């Protein structure tokens, strides 16, 4: 069952620019740019949910190769959420931001070519019970168990692991009820 979907053809997400980040619409897609070292910036829908399946088409637009982009679930506030992300360098990971501390619960590097480097990737994040599963282009990349967060908002995220500039484009965002 579809709970929410957006093709980013109209302006209904957060839009703002600062010295640290930029959120804007570009050619029918949503763009997030991180302008600071080792930081992630997210935009979420105000719709508190427990179990969800999220999907989005996402790709690196520009910036450092170690940047990441993906989906956010169980977002309570800026200090508490899960991020299920990939990078155009083949990186993938599932992270927990808990009480302001960001850490990857598990991560890896794609050696099989599932993650497309210069094209849109269809990402899926299953946040069901204590199971968090990340998919790219129909292939399961990673699964972890964590029960730190039980509910919250869902959305998209982009950021850097060590670099200082990165931007990603998002399209066709969907929230499903499992």
């Amino acid at each position: 069952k579809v709970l929410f979907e957006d093709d980013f053809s109209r302006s209904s997400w957060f839009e703002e620019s600062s010295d640290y980040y930029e959120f804007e619409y570009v050619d029918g897609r949503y763009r997030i740019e991180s302008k600071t070292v080792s930081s992630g910036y997210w935009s979420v829908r105000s719709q508190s949910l427990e179990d969800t399946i999220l999907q989005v088409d996402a790709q690196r637009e520009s910036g450092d190769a170690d940047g990441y982009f993906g989906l956010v679930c169980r977002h309570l506030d800026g200090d508490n959420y899960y991020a299920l992300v990939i990078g155009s360098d083949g990186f993938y990971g599932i992270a927990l931001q808990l009480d302001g501390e960001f850490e990857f619960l598990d991560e890896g590097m794609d050696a099989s070519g599932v993650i497309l480097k210069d094209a849109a990737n269809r990402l899926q994040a299953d946040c069901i019970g204590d199971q968090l599963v990340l998919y790219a282009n129909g292939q399961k990349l990673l699964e972890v168990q964590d029960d730190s967060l039980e509910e919250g908002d869902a959305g998209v995220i982009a950021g850097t692991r060590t670099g200082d500039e990165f931007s990603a484009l998002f399209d066709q965002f969907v929230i499903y009820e499992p």
Side-chain angles (χ1 to χ4, degrees):
K1 176 181 172 187
V2 173
L3 299 176
F4 177 82
E5 60 186 320
D6 195 343
D7 65 2
F8 298 109
S9 62
R10 65 188 190 300
S11 180
S12 66
W13 291 69
F14 180 71
E15 292 181 88
E16 187 173 294
S17 182
S18 79
D19 292 341
Y20 307 105
Y21 56 77
E22 188 165 355
F23 297 87
E24 67 178 337
Y25 285 84
V26 175
D27 298 325
R29 295 182 286 178
Y30 189 61
R31 180 176 176 268
I32 299 177
E33 181 179 4
S34 170
K35 301 177 185 179
T36 56
V37 176
S38 300
S39 62
Y41 294 98
W42 39 261
S43 184
V44 295
R45 306 303 307 162
S46 295
Q47 187 175 358
S48 187
L49 303 164
E50 290 180 22
D51 294 340
T52 57
I53 296 172
L54 310 173
Q55 291 183 340
V56 73
D57 293 337
Q59 72 183 78
R60 172 182 173 266
E61 179 189 40
S62 65
D64 295 317
D66 80 334
Y68 62 83
F69 50 95
L71 294 155
V72 170
C73 68
R74 299 187 179 157
H75 177 277
L76 299 176
D77 54 40
D79 290 333
N80 299 282
Y81 60 86
Y82 291 110
L84 295 87
V85 299
I86 66 168
S88 60
D89 63 354
F91 170 81
Y92 57 86
I94 298 176
L96 170 64
Q97 172 97 351
L98 186 63
D99 297 328
E101 296 294 321
F102 187 88
E103 75 170 297
F104 280 96
L105 300 172
D106 201 357
E107 60 190 82
M109 289 297 287
D110 173 32
S112 63
V114 170
I115 296 172
L116 305 175
K117 298 188 184 325
D118 296 314
N121 291 272
R122 184 66 175 164
L123 302 180
Q124 180 173 316
D126 295 355
C127 303
I128 302 170
D130 66 354
Q131 299 291 315
L132 304 166
V133 185
L134 173 63
Y135 299 85
N137 303 312
Q139 299 295 311
K140 183 163 127 181
L141 297 174
L142 193 59
E143 180 174 351
V144 300
Q145 285 186 289
D146 190 85
D147 62 1
S148 301
L149 305 172
E150 295 179 0
E151 67 179 288
D153 301 331
V156 293
I157 187 170
T160 61
R161 288 177 285 161
T162 59
D164 62 356
E165 258 188 62
F166 181 80
S167 66
L169 297 168
F170 301 91
D171 201 4
Q172 304 302 323
F173 178 77
V174 184
I175 302 173
Y176 295 97
E177 181 180 354

